Amino acid sequence: MCGIVGYCGKKNAEDHIIHGLEILEYRGYDSAGISVLNEDGKLTTVKRVGKLEILKDALTSLHLEGHVGIGHTRWATHGIPSDKNAHPQVSEDGSFSVVHNGIIENFIDLKSKLLAKGYTFKSDTDTEVVANLFQDYNTGDFLETAVKVAKDLKGAFALGIISSHYPGELLGLRYQSPLVLGVDDQGTILASDIPAIMDYTKDIISLENGEIAYCQEDQRSFYSFEGEEIQKNMEHIDWNFEQASKDGYAHFMLKEIHEQAEVIKKALDMKIKDGKVSLGDQSFSKEELASFDKIYFTACGTAYHAAEVGLRFFEEILGLKCQSEIASELKYYQPFIDDKTLLVVVSQSGETGDTLAAMEEAKAKGAKILAITNVVGSSIARQADKVQYCFAGPEISVASTKAYTTQLICLYTIALDFGQKLGLLDDQTHQAYVQDLYDLVGKVDLLLRREDPYKDLAGKIKNAKEIFYLGRGIDYLSAKEGALKIKEISYINAVSFPSGELKHGSIALLEDGVPVIFVITQESLLDKSISNIKEVKARGAYTLSIAMEGMDQVDEVSDDVVKVPRTNPFFAPVLAVLPQQFLAYETSLALGNDVDKPRNLAKSVTVE
Ligand code: F6R
């Protein structure tokens, strides 16, 4: 997704902006650009389609000198990737320069009005409209002009703006798209993501929806979209750059897979005190819980797969039928959500547009929101009634791994917290679950040390046109996540469905050598799963089973088997996902793909 970096202060703007954009490269982009204002108010803009290196080459001969600037890495939404569509977008007279994340939904209306006034446009972007609005509304006061422009904009936007009329000034506007400021006594860095400013400072100020940051030389102040000054608090973040770097691993994905024992333990330590789940004021009281008659779960992608597993455990503990829905669907279909509903929202980034939209819609209907997210201060965290953090640390690889397992830990502990408060769990059962959760740490660690088979297994599936991922019960939910992982980084089509469904049509696709991956961790469904393996082998398929230790019959019928330690059946997805993550990683590598930045994907999908 797009990245914004701006600078206003005493230091060289270009250096800080380019460095910040380099850090944001992991988000995925198709073009990049920068505008810098020099002391005399001359605005220079350079944009290039392609990698940041191309932009940097173009900048070497220019020596942009200036203390104010904005930069951007773009992932196309309006208009194809091209130099003209790259950001910054400059107003017709060249005096305003704008970088933008998000979508201006009413840009066609705004553009028609500007066209009618005689403005011409050079790009296909919605952002150029904003630049021209600034020119059109310019009052001689930068902040006042921004207030007028903000009133006209509909949609989602994080904006950075500089102008030759206002040398030494930088504006940031935020609505539904994240924007943070890193501050020190030398100046301000404006960015869409915290990693872009971590090298500069650890002191940050997050903008809320409807807020403007007005930076002038090394100072800054904050205003609402109505132009009223507001006071903002500074936060100190404890992430460091090392945490966000690869730490010696070939890829972020591999590093993040290997961090899972550690982050699961951290998440448990943060949520369990004296052998019992204790979520403090970031959970609901017994009275509040008693007022809910429905629990819904929503999320996208991997986070949704975690939510589906969590739902099963909620149902087990609470004895209440729960409902899950993909966020992009839930937004438009919520007939049963009301003020007696609890909506559990799961999002690694806390910025996913679909998830945020579904949550806002439910909130408007009176539902209470419990968010599970990895990013402190993210939009979802700020808008939820209660927030449970994953404590997974920054997840850089586009393919989500450690976020999934820590989301599961959050979901399990929340269910235990609810069960405890509602008197549905006796102490002994509660403590047994807690012990099972802590035991996962050692079991994950064990699996991480047994990395070896995956390279060979990847060799067996890498040339397949499609792969089947099957399982029964909760194993089907694990298989869905395995299929998503392989699709997104190996680009092999993978389909997942409950094993029992195979004979109702899809078995027609099976022929010699088609890989079928089974997840089998539920003892009670073992016999049925064995029959399914035999069924596909009889059609010549290659079978790889991910099964629990002790399930020896699986070895007899499968071509290959990866065993995971035994655990509580509800917690098995935490273990079953690891071989599937490794397999996806090794397959992607074997195919020569860009593991951390798969094509067409971005880490954070902030547009709906
Ligand atoms: C897959 C993946 C995506 C995300 C989805 C939701 O590996 O990363 O499917 O899980 O886009 O993102 P968040 O969790 O940030 O809301």
Side-chain angles (χ1 to χ4, degrees):
M1 198 55 58
C2 309
I4 288 178
V5 184
Y7 181 77
C8 179
K10 294 179 179 163
K11 299 181 189 167
N12 180 286
E14 181 192 338
D15 294 348
H16 288 298
I17 292 167
I18 294 295
H19 183 62
L21 292 179
E22 281 170 341
I23 292 172
L24 292 186
E25 278 196 287
Y26 69 90
R27 288 168 61 90
Y29 65 101
D30 51 51
S31 51
I34 183 170
S35 286
V36 172
L37 266 176
N38 74 9
E39 301 298 299
D40 307 326
K42 181 170 174 278
L43 188 61
T44 308
T45 299
V46 184
K47 309 189 284 184
R48 290 291 182 274
V49 72
K51 293 284 174 195
L52 210 47
E53 282 307 313
I54 302 172
L55 176 70
K56 280 162 65 181
D57 282 352
L59 290 170
T60 40
S61 58
L62 286 174
H63 305 293
L64 295 180
E65 288 300 329
H67 299 168
V68 180
I70 48 177
H72 193 262
T73 43
R74 174 174 187 257
W75 191 68
T77 50
H78 287 95
I80 54 156
S82 64
D83 288 354
K84 71 168 187 175
N85 285 338
H87 297 203
Q89 286 292 321
V90 177
S91 62
E92 190 183 47
D93 67 359
S95 64
F96 286 91
S97 181
V98 177
V99 286
H100 168 217
N101 283 3
I103 290 176
I104 306 295
E105 283 172 2
N106 59 337
F107 93 98
I108 292 177
D109 284 352
L110 295 171
K111 193 169 176 173
S112 317
K113 284 180 195 156
L114 289 164
L115 284 167
K117 286 184 171 185
Y119 280 85
T120 54
F121 289 80
K122 295 178 212 69
S123 80
D124 310 314
T125 66
D126 49 345
T127 308
E128 193 180 4
V129 168
V130 181
N132 279 332
L133 274 182
F134 267 90
Q135 179 186 327
D136 199 49
Y137 287 170
N138 190 13
T139 64
D141 179 306
F142 203 7
L143 180 65
E144 197 178 273
T145 309
V147 168
K148 289 186 82 172
V149 172
K151 283 196 174 47
D152 271 11
L153 302 180
K154 291 203 175 76
F157 49 91
L159 295 165
I161 309 118
I162 57 175
S163 169
S164 55
H165 297 296
Y166 308 106
E169 297 177 30
L170 163 72
L171 284 179
L173 273 73
R174 184 215 148 115
Y175 192 76
Q176 304 284 11
S177 201
L179 205 54
V180 288
L181 282 79
V183 302
D184 75 356
D185 58 1
Q186 301 282 300
T188 309
I189 284 222
L190 179 79
S192 49
D193 298 77
I194 292 172
I197 55 182
M198 301 195 297
D199 271 0
Y200 181 79
T201 177
K202 301 280 164 54
D203 292 325
I204 65 153
I205 299 173
S206 305
L207 286 191
E208 301 290 339
N209 284 337
E211 289 182 353
I212 302 174
Y214 172 61
C215 309
Q216 196 178 25
E217 291 163 0
D218 56 352
Q219 303 295 312
R220 68 214 59 91
S221 46
F222 301 91
Y223 299 85
S224 67
F225 279 4
E226 283 70 46
E228 279 154 22
E229 185 158 9
I230 46 181
Q231 300 304 316
K232 301 279 297 174
N233 292 330
M234 197 161 72
E235 289 171 70
H236 188 78
I237 49 160
D238 58 8
W239 292 3
N240 58 35
F241 188 68
E242 282 72 42
Q243 272 179 293
S245 73
K246 288 182 194 158
D247 223 9
Y249 287 99
H251 297 94
F252 281 115
M253 182 177 178
L254 193 59
K255 170 178 175 271
E256 287 159 11
I257 291 174
H258 277 278
E259 283 171 349
Q260 287 178 104
E262 185 190 326
V263 294
I264 288 171
K265 177 164 185 318
K266 182 164 185 200
L268 287 169
D269 286 347
M270 299 299 287
K271 293 164 198 301
I272 293 168
K273 303 276 169 292
D274 304 323
K276 281 181 148 192
V277 173
S278 169
L279 303 181
D281 61 1
Q282 282 308 315
S283 179
F284 294 99
S285 66
K286 182 182 173 181
E287 292 67 35
E288 286 170 314
L289 290 174
S291 73
F292 302 137
D293 65 4
K294 288 179 283 312
I295 303 183
Y296 270 71
F297 293 79
T298 198
C300 302
T302 289
Y304 183 70
H305 296 153
E308 284 189 302
V309 172
L311 178 152
R312 296 279 176 115
F313 193 55
F314 269 64
E315 290 188 336
E316 167 75 8
I317 299 296
L318 305 180
L320 177 75
K321 174 83 193 106
C322 299
Q323 199 75 31
S324 64
E325 188 53 87
I326 292 276
S328 54
E329 291 292 318
L330 187 70
K331 184 189 171 194
Y332 302 104
Y333 187 71
Q334 312 201 330
F336 305 111
I337 289 190
D338 57 19
D339 59 359
K340 290 199 173 67
T341 308
L342 170 65
L343 178 66
V344 180
V345 173
V346 188
S347 173
Q348 187 284 128
S349 62
E351 301 294 348
T352 300
D354 287 324
T355 311
L356 199 55
M359 164 176 155
E360 284 168 354
E361 203 71 24
K363 216 175 163 184
K365 293 182 139 205
K368 287 274 182 283
I369 313 292
L370 194 164
I372 294 170
T373 183
N374 192 32
V375 180
V376 178
S378 58
S379 303
I380 287 177
R382 287 201 301 277
Q383 290 183 41
D385 296 291
K386 305 285 178 190
V387 185
Q388 283 299 314
Y389 288 112
C390 299
F391 301 108
E395 192 179 63
I396 306 293
S397 171
V398 165
S400 189
T401 53
K402 61 179 179 166
Y404 173 78
T405 42
T406 53
Q407 283 159 357
L408 288 178
I409 297 298
C410 288
L411 287 153
Y412 297 142
T413 49
I414 294 165
L416 292 176
D417 173 69
F418 287 8
Q420 173 180 237
K421 286 179 177 150
L422 292 167
L424 299 166
L425 266 183
D426 59 60
D427 279 2
Q428 213 186 343
T429 317
H430 182 129
Q431 279 162 10
Y433 277 126
V434 166
Q435 190 54 54
D436 285 346
L437 285 173
Y438 263 114
D439 288 348
L440 286 174
V441 177
K443 293 172 184 178
V444 167
D445 196 44
L446 201 75
L447 278 172
L448 293 175
R449 286 165 201 275
R450 283 192 211 148
E451 200 183 313
D452 283 341
Y454 305 107
K455 218 179 248 96
D456 284 348
L457 295 173
K460 295 184 184 183
I461 64 168
K462 70 172 191 198
N463 294 320
K465 279 210 223 50
E466 63 187 344
I467 305 178
F468 288 79
Y469 277 76
L470 307 182
R472 287 176 176 265
I474 222 164
D475 287 334
Y476 160 52
L477 307 179
S478 295
K480 281 169 92 171
E481 174 56 10
L484 179 62
K485 235 37 353 145
I486 202 110
K487 271 189 284 199
E488 62 183 330
I489 59 171
S490 76
Y491 318 145
I492 300 172
N493 182 36
V495 285
S496 58
F497 47 86
S499 311
E501 192 59 14
L502 189 64
K503 58 185 170 299
H504 296 289
S506 309
I507 200 162
L509 294 167
L510 290 184
E511 53 184 4
D512 269 359
V514 172
V516 182
I517 295 173
F518 284 93
V519 181
I520 311 170
T521 67
Q522 310 293 301
E523 202 78 59
S524 60
L525 299 166
L526 178 58
D527 290 347
K528 296 283 172 211
S529 300
I530 297 286
S531 307
N532 290 130
I533 300 175
K534 288 181 180 163
E535 199 172 51
V536 305
K537 272 200 74 69
R539 270 91 189 163
Y542 158 72
T543 55
L544 163 62
S545 297
I546 294 157
M548 284 259 217
E549 274 160 9
M551 291 180 165
D552 296 338
Q553 294 142 277
V554 177
D555 305 39
E556 288 158 25
V557 293
S558 312
D559 292 309
D560 284 300
V561 182
V562 175
K563 290 285 178 61
V564 299
R566 300 184 79 76
T567 183
N568 181 302
F570 286 99
F571 303 159
V574 174
L575 303 177
V577 78
L578 291 169
Q580 302 186 80
Q581 293 171 346
F582 277 127
L583 187 65
Y585 173 79
E586 290 293 349
T587 309
S588 173
L589 208 60
L591 291 167
N593 296 343
D594 191 343
V595 176
D596 285 331
K597 292 179 212 156
R599 69 185 184 203
N600 303 338
L601 289 175
K603 185 64 190 160
S604 179
V605 187
T606 54
V607 288
E608 279 177 62

